[in-house]
Each structure stands twice: as structure tokens, then as C-alpha cells.
mmCIF file of all heavy atoms in Angstrom:
data_model
loop_
_atom_site.group_PDB
_atom_site.id
_atom_site.type_symbol
_atom_site.label_atom_id
_atom_site.label_comp_id
_atom_site.label_asym_id
_atom_site.label_seq_id
_atom_site.Cartn_x
_atom_site.Cartn_y
_atom_site.Cartn_z
ATOM 1 N N GLU A 1 116.232 98.394 89.697
ATOM 2 C CA GLU A 1 116.950 98.513 90.975
ATOM 3 C C GLU A 1 118.423 98.266 90.776
ATOM 4 O O GLU A 1 118.868 97.569 89.864
ATOM 5 C CB GLU A 1 116.346 97.511 91.983
ATOM 6 C CG GLU A 1 116.590 96.053 91.605
ATOM 7 C CD GLU A 1 116.083 95.102 92.685
ATOM 8 O OE1 GLU A 1 115.610 95.570 93.742
ATOM 9 O OE2 GLU A 1 116.144 93.852 92.462
ATOM 10 N N PHE A 2 119.152 98.799 91.723
ATOM 11 C CA PHE A 2 120.587 98.665 91.747
ATOM 12 C C PHE A 2 121.008 97.255 92.159
ATOM 13 O O PHE A 2 120.357 96.661 93.024
ATOM 14 C CB PHE A 2 121.189 99.662 92.679
ATOM 15 C CG PHE A 2 122.654 99.458 93.021
ATOM 16 C CD1 PHE A 2 123.642 99.710 92.071
ATOM 17 C CD2 PHE A 2 123.045 98.963 94.254
ATOM 18 C CE1 PHE A 2 124.962 99.474 92.384
ATOM 19 C CE2 PHE A 2 124.350 98.753 94.582
ATOM 20 C CZ PHE A 2 125.344 99.033 93.628
ATOM 21 N N VAL A 3 122.021 96.709 91.537
ATOM 22 C CA VAL A 3 122.500 95.425 91.876
ATOM 23 C C VAL A 3 123.921 95.457 92.481
ATOM 24 O O VAL A 3 124.184 95.082 93.578
ATOM 25 C CB VAL A 3 122.501 94.464 90.653
ATOM 26 C CG1 VAL A 3 123.103 93.084 91.021
ATOM 27 C CG2 VAL A 3 121.107 94.297 90.124
ATOM 28 N N ILE A 4 124.904 95.951 91.657
ATOM 29 C CA ILE A 4 126.287 95.980 92.076
ATOM 30 C C ILE A 4 127.034 96.991 91.192
ATOM 31 O O ILE A 4 126.662 97.219 90.049
ATOM 32 C CB ILE A 4 126.891 94.591 91.979
ATOM 33 C CG1 ILE A 4 128.236 94.455 92.674
ATOM 34 C CG2 ILE A 4 127.011 94.144 90.513
ATOM 35 C CD1 ILE A 4 128.758 93.029 92.779
ATOM 36 N N ALA A 5 128.087 97.568 91.718
ATOM 37 C CA ALA A 5 128.882 98.487 90.961
ATOM 38 C C ALA A 5 130.352 98.456 91.414
ATOM 39 O O ALA A 5 130.653 98.057 92.542
ATOM 40 C CB ALA A 5 128.356 99.940 91.108
ATOM 41 N N VAL A 6 131.256 98.900 90.534
ATOM 42 C CA VAL A 6 132.645 98.944 90.866
ATOM 43 C C VAL A 6 133.232 100.233 90.334
ATOM 44 O O VAL A 6 132.826 100.785 89.311
ATOM 45 C CB VAL A 6 133.391 97.732 90.206
ATOM 46 C CG1 VAL A 6 133.346 97.785 88.691
ATOM 47 C CG2 VAL A 6 134.838 97.671 90.733
ATOM 48 N N SER A 7 134.191 100.764 91.113
ATOM 49 C CA SER A 7 134.842 102.002 90.732
ATOM 50 C C SER A 7 135.732 101.762 89.517
ATOM 51 O O SER A 7 135.983 100.630 89.112
ATOM 52 C CB SER A 7 135.698 102.544 91.908
ATOM 53 O OG SER A 7 136.726 101.621 92.248
ATOM 54 N N TRP A 8 136.216 102.821 88.936
ATOM 55 C CA TRP A 8 136.984 102.765 87.687
ATOM 56 C C TRP A 8 138.231 101.913 87.840
ATOM 57 O O TRP A 8 138.647 101.186 86.894
ATOM 58 C CB TRP A 8 137.377 104.154 87.197
ATOM 59 C CG TRP A 8 138.482 104.789 87.997
ATOM 60 C CD1 TRP A 8 138.358 105.483 89.162
ATOM 61 C CD2 TRP A 8 139.892 104.788 87.704
ATOM 62 N NE1 TRP A 8 139.583 105.912 89.621
ATOM 63 C CE2 TRP A 8 140.558 105.469 88.737
ATOM 64 C CE3 TRP A 8 140.616 104.238 86.639
ATOM 65 C CZ2 TRP A 8 141.933 105.674 88.748
ATOM 66 C CZ3 TRP A 8 142.028 104.391 86.663
ATOM 67 C CH2 TRP A 8 142.604 105.120 87.709
ATOM 68 N N ASN A 9 138.843 101.935 89.038
ATOM 69 C CA ASN A 9 140.077 101.198 89.212
ATOM 70 C C ASN A 9 139.862 99.913 90.004
ATOM 71 O O ASN A 9 140.848 99.208 90.413
ATOM 72 C CB ASN A 9 141.120 102.055 89.929
ATOM 73 C CG ASN A 9 140.676 102.522 91.304
ATOM 74 O OD1 ASN A 9 139.529 102.288 91.731
ATOM 75 N ND2 ASN A 9 141.610 103.152 92.022
ATOM 76 N N GLY A 10 138.622 99.545 90.310
ATOM 77 C CA GLY A 10 138.362 98.344 91.046
ATOM 78 C C GLY A 10 138.543 98.408 92.534
ATOM 79 O O GLY A 10 138.459 97.408 93.233
ATOM 80 N N GLY A 11 138.869 99.619 93.044
ATOM 81 C CA GLY A 11 139.157 99.755 94.472
ATOM 82 C C GLY A 11 137.939 99.794 95.378
ATOM 83 O O GLY A 11 138.122 99.680 96.598
ATOM 84 N N ARG A 12 136.781 99.994 94.852
ATOM 85 C CA ARG A 12 135.581 100.045 95.656
ATOM 86 C C ARG A 12 134.433 99.334 94.956
ATOM 87 O O ARG A 12 134.228 99.529 93.752
ATOM 88 C CB ARG A 12 135.171 101.525 95.934
ATOM 89 C CG ARG A 12 134.005 101.681 96.862
ATOM 90 C CD ARG A 12 133.570 103.145 96.921
ATOM 91 N NE ARG A 12 132.421 103.340 97.810
ATOM 92 C CZ ARG A 12 132.526 103.742 99.063
ATOM 93 N NH1 ARG A 12 133.683 104.048 99.605
ATOM 94 N NH2 ARG A 12 131.410 103.892 99.797
ATOM 95 N N THR A 13 133.677 98.554 95.721
ATOM 96 C CA THR A 13 132.547 97.818 95.175
ATOM 97 C C THR A 13 131.341 98.053 96.096
ATOM 98 O O THR A 13 131.483 97.973 97.321
ATOM 99 C CB THR A 13 132.836 96.319 95.061
ATOM 100 O OG1 THR A 13 133.960 96.108 94.215
ATOM 101 C CG2 THR A 13 131.624 95.632 94.469
ATOM 102 N N ASP A 14 130.230 98.353 95.509
ATOM 103 C CA ASP A 14 128.959 98.498 96.277
ATOM 104 C C ASP A 14 128.000 97.349 95.840
ATOM 105 O O ASP A 14 127.937 97.024 94.693
ATOM 106 C CB ASP A 14 128.313 99.864 96.000
ATOM 107 C CG ASP A 14 129.065 101.036 96.677
ATOM 108 O OD1 ASP A 14 129.820 100.783 97.574
ATOM 109 O OD2 ASP A 14 128.850 102.167 96.237
ATOM 110 N N TYR A 15 127.261 96.870 96.840
ATOM 111 C CA TYR A 15 126.354 95.793 96.598
ATOM 112 C C TYR A 15 124.934 96.135 97.126
ATOM 113 O O TYR A 15 124.841 96.786 98.131
ATOM 114 C CB TYR A 15 126.786 94.510 97.339
ATOM 115 C CG TYR A 15 128.171 94.040 97.063
ATOM 116 C CD1 TYR A 15 129.277 94.533 97.680
ATOM 117 C CD2 TYR A 15 128.403 92.997 96.133
ATOM 118 C CE1 TYR A 15 130.574 94.077 97.507
ATOM 119 C CE2 TYR A 15 129.630 92.518 95.880
ATOM 120 C CZ TYR A 15 130.758 93.046 96.573
ATOM 121 O OH TYR A 15 132.012 92.560 96.320
ATOM 122 N N ALA A 16 123.955 95.587 96.419
ATOM 123 C CA ALA A 16 122.586 95.570 96.984
ATOM 124 C C ALA A 16 122.575 94.505 98.036
ATOM 125 O O ALA A 16 123.197 93.422 97.878
ATOM 126 C CB ALA A 16 121.561 95.351 95.900
ATOM 127 N N HIS A 17 121.777 94.715 99.109
ATOM 128 C CA HIS A 17 121.716 93.756 100.190
ATOM 129 C C HIS A 17 121.256 92.368 99.674
ATOM 130 O O HIS A 17 121.726 91.370 100.155
ATOM 131 C CB HIS A 17 120.760 94.254 101.259
ATOM 132 C CG HIS A 17 120.539 93.302 102.370
ATOM 133 N ND1 HIS A 17 121.477 93.066 103.329
ATOM 134 C CD2 HIS A 17 119.475 92.508 102.655
ATOM 135 C CE1 HIS A 17 121.063 92.150 104.194
ATOM 136 N NE2 HIS A 17 119.808 91.820 103.801
ATOM 137 N N SER A 18 120.358 92.356 98.699
ATOM 138 C CA SER A 18 119.772 91.132 98.215
ATOM 139 C C SER A 18 120.814 90.231 97.487
ATOM 140 O O SER A 18 120.539 89.048 97.335
ATOM 141 C CB SER A 18 118.592 91.414 97.326
ATOM 142 O OG SER A 18 118.996 92.171 96.181
ATOM 143 N N VAL A 19 121.884 90.787 97.031
ATOM 144 C CA VAL A 19 122.853 89.982 96.287
ATOM 145 C C VAL A 19 124.198 89.884 96.936
ATOM 146 O O VAL A 19 125.074 89.145 96.414
ATOM 147 C CB VAL A 19 123.073 90.550 94.837
ATOM 148 C CG1 VAL A 19 121.704 90.673 94.135
ATOM 149 C CG2 VAL A 19 123.769 91.911 94.876
ATOM 150 N N LYS A 20 124.395 90.535 98.042
ATOM 151 C CA LYS A 20 125.695 90.506 98.707
ATOM 152 C C LYS A 20 126.039 89.111 99.129
ATOM 153 O O LYS A 20 125.258 88.393 99.716
ATOM 154 C CB LYS A 20 125.679 91.447 99.926
ATOM 155 C CG LYS A 20 127.063 91.706 100.491
ATOM 156 C CD LYS A 20 127.006 92.821 101.547
ATOM 157 C CE LYS A 20 128.335 93.228 102.006
ATOM 158 N NZ LYS A 20 128.310 94.369 102.995
ATOM 159 N N GLY A 21 127.294 88.674 98.776
ATOM 160 C CA GLY A 21 127.744 87.363 99.109
ATOM 161 C C GLY A 21 127.450 86.375 97.981
ATOM 162 O O GLY A 21 127.957 85.216 98.028
ATOM 163 N N ARG A 22 126.633 86.735 97.015
ATOM 164 C CA ARG A 22 126.324 85.870 95.909
ATOM 165 C C ARG A 22 126.816 86.363 94.570
ATOM 166 O O ARG A 22 127.186 85.558 93.722
ATOM 167 C CB ARG A 22 124.814 85.642 95.856
ATOM 168 C CG ARG A 22 124.182 85.002 97.041
ATOM 169 C CD ARG A 22 122.704 84.627 96.822
ATOM 170 N NE ARG A 22 121.882 85.824 96.552
ATOM 171 C CZ ARG A 22 121.181 86.000 95.450
ATOM 172 N NH1 ARG A 22 121.211 85.065 94.480
ATOM 173 N NH2 ARG A 22 120.460 87.080 95.296
ATOM 174 N N PHE A 23 126.775 87.660 94.396
ATOM 175 C CA PHE A 23 127.129 88.241 93.100
ATOM 176 C C PHE A 23 128.516 88.937 93.205
ATOM 177 O O PHE A 23 128.850 89.531 94.262
ATOM 178 C CB PHE A 23 126.155 89.330 92.643
ATOM 179 C CG PHE A 23 124.801 88.748 92.203
ATOM 180 C CD1 PHE A 23 124.479 87.462 92.458
ATOM 181 C CD2 PHE A 23 123.924 89.578 91.556
ATOM 182 C CE1 PHE A 23 123.233 86.949 92.027
ATOM 183 C CE2 PHE A 23 122.719 89.073 91.135
ATOM 184 C CZ PHE A 23 122.348 87.736 91.380
ATOM 185 N N THR A 24 129.272 88.893 92.178
ATOM 186 C CA THR A 24 130.615 89.524 92.075
ATOM 187 C C THR A 24 130.770 90.246 90.777
ATOM 188 O O THR A 24 130.338 89.734 89.746
ATOM 189 C CB THR A 24 131.742 88.489 92.252
ATOM 190 O OG1 THR A 24 131.577 87.789 93.470
ATOM 191 C CG2 THR A 24 133.099 89.143 92.225
ATOM 192 N N ILE A 25 131.344 91.429 90.819
ATOM 193 C CA ILE A 25 131.638 92.176 89.568
ATOM 194 C C ILE A 25 133.147 92.185 89.353
ATOM 195 O O ILE A 25 133.915 92.270 90.269
ATOM 196 C CB ILE A 25 131.069 93.595 89.678
ATOM 197 C CG1 ILE A 25 131.177 94.313 88.338
ATOM 198 C CG2 ILE A 25 131.736 94.397 90.774
ATOM 199 C CD1 ILE A 25 130.453 95.657 88.260
ATOM 200 N N SER A 26 133.527 92.050 88.096
ATOM 201 C CA SER A 26 134.924 92.065 87.742
ATOM 202 C C SER A 26 135.057 92.665 86.345
ATOM 203 O O SER A 26 134.092 92.824 85.606
ATOM 204 C CB SER A 26 135.524 90.642 87.778
ATOM 205 O OG SER A 26 134.897 89.815 86.845
ATOM 206 N N ARG A 27 136.295 92.971 85.977
ATOM 207 C CA ARG A 27 136.521 93.544 84.677
ATOM 208 C C ARG A 27 137.823 93.029 84.067
ATOM 209 O O ARG A 27 138.825 92.767 84.776
ATOM 210 C CB ARG A 27 136.524 95.058 84.731
ATOM 211 C CG ARG A 27 137.548 95.714 85.635
ATOM 212 C CD ARG A 27 137.178 97.161 86.008
ATOM 213 N NE ARG A 27 136.812 97.935 84.798
ATOM 214 C CZ ARG A 27 136.191 99.093 84.860
ATOM 215 N NH1 ARG A 27 135.809 99.620 86.025
ATOM 216 N NH2 ARG A 27 135.890 99.745 83.735
ATOM 217 N N ASP A 28 137.822 92.887 82.765
ATOM 218 C CA ASP A 28 138.984 92.473 82.012
ATOM 219 C C ASP A 28 139.261 93.576 81.039
ATOM 220 O O ASP A 28 138.632 93.692 79.966
ATOM 221 C CB ASP A 28 138.711 91.136 81.257
ATOM 222 C CG ASP A 28 139.924 90.585 80.579
ATOM 223 O OD1 ASP A 28 140.863 91.362 80.260
ATOM 224 O OD2 ASP A 28 139.913 89.384 80.272
ATOM 225 N N ASN A 29 140.204 94.428 81.401
ATOM 226 C CA ASN A 29 140.477 95.602 80.572
ATOM 227 C C ASN A 29 141.058 95.252 79.195
ATOM 228 O O ASN A 29 140.826 95.956 78.207
ATOM 229 C CB ASN A 29 141.450 96.531 81.296
ATOM 230 C CG ASN A 29 140.784 97.204 82.505
ATOM 231 O OD1 ASN A 29 139.601 97.402 82.513
ATOM 232 N ND2 ASN A 29 141.603 97.607 83.468
ATOM 233 N N ALA A 30 141.755 94.140 79.156
ATOM 234 C CA ALA A 30 142.326 93.672 77.836
ATOM 235 C C ALA A 30 141.201 93.359 76.867
ATOM 236 O O ALA A 30 141.394 93.541 75.653
ATOM 237 C CB ALA A 30 143.259 92.522 78.058
ATOM 238 N N LYS A 31 140.118 92.857 77.331
ATOM 239 C CA LYS A 31 138.969 92.463 76.505
ATOM 240 C C LYS A 31 137.923 93.570 76.479
ATOM 241 O O LYS A 31 136.853 93.428 75.804
ATOM 242 C CB LYS A 31 138.378 91.174 76.959
ATOM 243 C CG LYS A 31 139.306 90.000 76.885
ATOM 244 C CD LYS A 31 138.651 88.724 77.363
ATOM 245 C CE LYS A 31 137.513 88.290 76.451
ATOM 246 N NZ LYS A 31 136.950 86.990 76.825
ATOM 247 N N ASN A 32 138.135 94.650 77.240
ATOM 248 C CA ASN A 32 137.162 95.757 77.263
ATOM 249 C C ASN A 32 135.798 95.255 77.713
ATOM 250 O O ASN A 32 134.750 95.623 77.152
ATOM 251 C CB ASN A 32 137.064 96.490 75.927
ATOM 252 C CG ASN A 32 137.042 97.978 76.102
ATOM 253 O OD1 ASN A 32 137.450 98.547 77.124
ATOM 254 N ND2 ASN A 32 136.532 98.669 75.078
ATOM 255 N N THR A 33 135.801 94.400 78.733
ATOM 256 C CA THR A 33 134.567 93.744 79.154
ATOM 257 C C THR A 33 134.448 93.720 80.683
ATOM 258 O O THR A 33 135.466 93.554 81.404
ATOM 259 C CB THR A 33 134.536 92.271 78.645
ATOM 260 O OG1 THR A 33 134.567 92.281 77.224
ATOM 261 C CG2 THR A 33 133.273 91.555 79.082
ATOM 262 N N VAL A 34 133.213 93.920 81.207
ATOM 263 C CA VAL A 34 132.886 93.809 82.578
ATOM 264 C C VAL A 34 131.962 92.586 82.759
ATOM 265 O O VAL A 34 131.117 92.369 81.950
ATOM 266 C CB VAL A 34 132.275 95.097 83.124
ATOM 267 C CG1 VAL A 34 131.753 94.896 84.538
ATOM 268 C CG2 VAL A 34 133.266 96.221 83.078
ATOM 269 N N TYR A 35 132.207 91.867 83.858
ATOM 270 C CA TYR A 35 131.413 90.674 84.125
ATOM 271 C C TYR A 35 130.621 90.796 85.377
ATOM 272 O O TYR A 35 130.990 91.452 86.332
ATOM 273 C CB TYR A 35 132.330 89.449 84.212
ATOM 274 C CG TYR A 35 133.180 89.199 83.009
ATOM 275 C CD1 TYR A 35 134.521 89.629 82.972
ATOM 276 C CD2 TYR A 35 132.710 88.544 81.929
ATOM 277 C CE1 TYR A 35 135.299 89.449 81.889
ATOM 278 C CE2 TYR A 35 133.478 88.344 80.778
ATOM 279 C CZ TYR A 35 134.796 88.752 80.784
ATOM 280 O OH TYR A 35 135.577 88.561 79.653
ATOM 281 N N LEU A 36 129.473 90.100 85.410
ATOM 282 C CA LEU A 36 128.666 89.926 86.582
ATOM 283 C C LEU A 36 128.554 88.435 86.865
ATOM 284 O O LEU A 36 127.882 87.721 86.094
ATOM 285 C CB LEU A 36 127.279 90.544 86.442
ATOM 286 C CG LEU A 36 126.337 90.311 87.603
ATOM 287 C CD1 LEU A 36 126.889 90.891 88.912
ATOM 288 C CD2 LEU A 36 124.949 90.905 87.317
#
């Protein structure tokens, strides 16, 4: 099942209802890493 996603530039984030308000997605381009 889907959890969370972010657009290439971070301008849009989609959440599953079950995790909204609890989970956050972010990215560190310098480290080439995405975090949940």
C-alpha cells in the first residue's frame, strides 16, 4: 500500500490517510538520500 510521496522539487506531498499527521518525507540532495 501507498504511504507517502513527494514531487521532484518537494513542492507537493501526498499522504495515505492512515499516516497523515504522523509521517513526513524529506530529502537531502547533498547526500542523495530521502528520509521517512
